[in-house]
Amino acid sequence: MTMTATDALIDTKGQANRLFRRKRLMGFALPALVLAYLTYIFFAFDFPGLAERARWDNARTLASDSWSYKTHVTRTNRDGEITFAVEGERKGEYPEGMRPDWVTGTDVVTIDLGGDHLVRLLPDNRTEIEIPGFGSITAQAEERSVTTNLPEVLPEWINASDRRVAITTPEGRITLTGSKTEVFNYFPGWELFWFTFASPYYDHGVTEILFGDRIDPARSNLKGAWHDFWSNPMWRHGDVAWAIGETILMAFLGTMGAAMIALPLSFLAARKFAPLMLVRTFTRRLFDFVRGVDALIWTVVLARAFGPGPMTGALAILVTDTGTFGKIFSEALENTDDKQIEGIASTGAKPLQRYRFGVIPQVVPVLLAQVLYFFESNTRSATVIGAITGGGIGLLLTQAIQTQQSWENVAYYIILVVLMVMAMDWLSGKLRAKLIGRST
């Protein structure tokens, strides 16, 4: 039975209509699937609950602490002693007889937070706080309790009980308990970053240090300033530099060690160089196993086996990258050109010589590119691994976060990590271009 032209035309139109309906259905189905998926995510990840649990006041405090510093004015109610310290640290305490210029008075100590916000530390553990638009707050500390004149209904920026009163204003914070009264005054910048109060170079400019008269009679200005900066007890610049070096060394040892182990093993995983299927299968599954377990898991396992330390972090990187490099290197070996190998073999070269002069030069560009890329990537990974194993800049970063106080130190360490990654990216790019260019 033959198909006429009319039948063929009808069949073609039918196919076109079916294709049009299928595309139209897909046009409706795909947006519906995406919408259903986004709806599932919205409820599965509990976005409404997340919004309710969010504490934006803590977020604002954390953000401001990262780019500013706060000076603590603390009165101990037991003996009435008043101390002044940057970030509340003993290492940042003002020397005896010295105090901030916004603190005045003797019997009645007045703290000017700015914007007409005043705090007066009165005798007998009494405190008076002047807040524009709210009025005067008086508080009396007695043993473990605090008595105030606050009304029953309080604004959101005041949290009060019979044991503790916390007041947060745009100009500063005040905390009153039965044992002490603390006033926190915020200022932009990182105070004592260069020198602490104990250094004779504090409050001296760069020009004065480089070209002025000798400040410390026992030391030259340049030598003394560098020593006091490097051994700054609050910012620990020397320890930070050592930690950065540990992090880079951790990444270097792990990456290079993995490459050295993976290269000979990759020959056993390549079909062209390992004809026995049993050997290839075993080697490939070994690579799958070590790279299938994340480096953080290997870090925890190796830390239990060898204890904490930067070497444990380097071993974790080495184990994970051995599997990754083994897979990449074996695939590169399978794509080598047989003609170059045959040319080397025609000279009477032995198998090792054929590999050395006929195979390695072909895969060197791929090997170097991957090793340098992973070295750059592992520099970031070593920061997180160091936080677990107790080494490198990751350890200092974790310690600063756990204190919940030194957020400017957290910002400092994060900036250094970003600069370190940028430097390693630039360096690996330069080396990659130079070494691979020579190889090719």
Side-chain angles (χ1 to χ4, degrees):
M1 182 176 180
T2 59
M3 181 180 293
T4 64
T6 303
D7 294 335
L9 180 61
I10 293 173
D11 184 64
T12 303
K13 288 183 178 180
Q15 291 179 0
N17 290 333
R18 287 193 296 271
L19 181 62
F20 175 75
R21 286 195 298 269
R22 189 180 296 115
K23 289 183 177 180
R24 188 176 181 182
L25 181 62
M26 288 297 296
F28 286 114
L30 186 59
L33 288 174
V34 172
L35 180 61
Y37 180 66
L38 293 177
T39 304
Y40 168 76
I41 291 177
F42 181 80
F43 290 103
F45 286 82
D46 191 20
F47 277 89
L50 180 64
E52 291 178 2
R53 293 191 301 271
R55 301 183 62 181
W56 301 111
D57 53 342
N58 285 352
R60 285 192 296 268
T61 300
L62 186 151
S64 63
D65 284 351
S66 65
W67 57 266
S68 64
Y69 71 95
K70 58 183 179 293
T71 301
H72 294 224
V73 180
T74 306
R75 180 178 66 182
T76 305
N77 294 335
R78 184 180 63 257
D79 53 16
E81 181 184 1
I82 300 176
T83 58
F84 313 92
V86 174
E87 294 299 334
E89 292 192 34
R90 185 173 295 276
K91 292 171 287 190
E93 192 171 321
Y94 279 70
E96 187 176 354
M98 182 180 174
R99 64 183 183 180
D101 55 8
W102 39 271
V103 180
T104 57
T106 52
D107 294 335
V108 176
V109 177
T110 302
I111 304 169
D112 186 357
L113 296 177
D116 295 329
H117 290 66
L118 300 175
V119 180
R120 298 185 182 91
L121 304 180
L122 306 173
D124 300 325
N125 296 334
R126 290 183 297 121
T127 305
E128 187 178 272
I129 305 167
E130 295 285 346
I131 300 176
F134 185 80
S136 177
I137 301 173
T138 58
Q140 175 69 56
E142 297 176 340
E143 295 182 353
R144 296 185 178 182
S145 63
V146 180
T147 305
T148 68
N149 66 337
L150 289 170
E152 292 184 3
V153 180
L154 298 174
E156 294 182 355
W157 45 274
I158 298 180
N159 187 355
S161 68
D162 59 348
R163 291 182 175 271
R164 184 178 184 273
V165 177
I167 302 171
T168 302
T169 73
E171 301 297 334
R173 292 189 290 136
I174 304 100
T175 303
L176 304 101
T177 63
S179 60
K180 63 181 179 180
T181 300
E182 277 192 294
V183 180
F184 310 93
N185 201 3
Y186 284 81
F187 299 93
W190 291 345
E191 180 68 346
L192 307 183
F193 181 82
W194 303 102
F195 309 108
T196 62
F197 293 117
S199 172
Y201 303 95
Y202 174 77
D203 208 22
H204 289 276
V206 177
T207 304
E208 188 177 357
I209 292 175
L210 293 177
F211 307 107
D213 296 333
R214 177 171 290 196
I215 299 172
D216 186 355
R219 303 176 294 179
S220 65
N221 285 353
L222 193 60
K223 182 179 179 181
W226 173 255
H227 175 271
D228 289 1
F229 166 78
W230 194 249
S231 58
N232 186 318
M234 285 193 66
W235 289 89
R236 304 169 59 188
H237 299 297
D239 295 338
V240 171
W242 178 266
I244 289 287
E246 270 190 351
T247 301
I248 296 175
L249 184 60
M250 202 185 307
F252 179 81
L253 290 177
T255 306
M256 297 306 167
M260 293 173 63
I261 295 173
L263 181 58
L265 290 178
S266 62
F267 281 91
L268 301 178
R271 185 186 303 273
K272 186 178 292 186
F273 300 97
L276 294 177
M277 186 179 68
L278 183 63
V279 175
R280 293 199 311 271
T281 303
F282 174 79
T283 308
R284 288 178 179 178
R285 297 297 79 79
L286 177 63
F287 289 156
D288 292 340
F289 171 71
V290 294
R291 73 187 176 90
V293 180
D294 191 79
L296 293 179
I297 306 300
W298 282 119
T299 302
V300 175
V301 173
L302 294 173
R304 292 292 300 272
F306 300 104
M311 195 61 197
T312 303
L315 287 174
I317 295 174
L318 182 147
V319 172
T320 305
D321 282 4
T322 296
T324 305
F325 284 153
K327 177 178 174 58
I328 295 173
F329 292 175
S330 63
E331 291 176 352
L333 290 172
E334 289 181 350
N335 293 322
T336 53
D337 186 6
D338 292 335
K339 293 182 179 179
Q340 186 169 339
I341 303 174
E342 293 171 358
I344 298 296
S346 65
T347 63
K350 297 179 181 179
L352 286 179
Q353 293 174 325
R354 292 199 294 268
Y355 294 160
R356 166 64 183 85
F357 298 103
V359 177
I360 298 298
Q362 295 187 57
V363 297
V364 159
V366 177
L367 268 58
L368 284 177
Q370 293 297 331
V371 168
L372 289 173
Y373 170 76
F374 273 84
F375 176 42
E376 169 203 332
S377 177
N378 287 334
T379 305
R380 298 189 297 270
S381 302
T383 302
V384 181
I385 291 174
I388 300 175
T389 61
I393 193 66
L395 175 62
L396 297 182
L397 183 60
T398 304
Q399 290 174 342
I401 292 174
Q402 288 176 342
T403 60
Q404 291 292 313
Q405 292 179 343
S406 305
W407 288 105
E408 66 276 12
N409 291 85
V410 174
Y412 174 45
Y413 299 150
I414 291 175
I415 289 173
L416 288 178
V417 169
V418 172
L419 292 176
M420 176 184 68
V421 171
M422 291 173 62
M424 297 309 300
D425 179 30
W426 175 82
L427 180 61
S428 65
K430 288 288 186 182
L431 289 174
R432 191 156 48 239
K434 191 171 183 179
L435 295 176
I436 294 175
R438 286 182 177 177
S439 300
T440 57

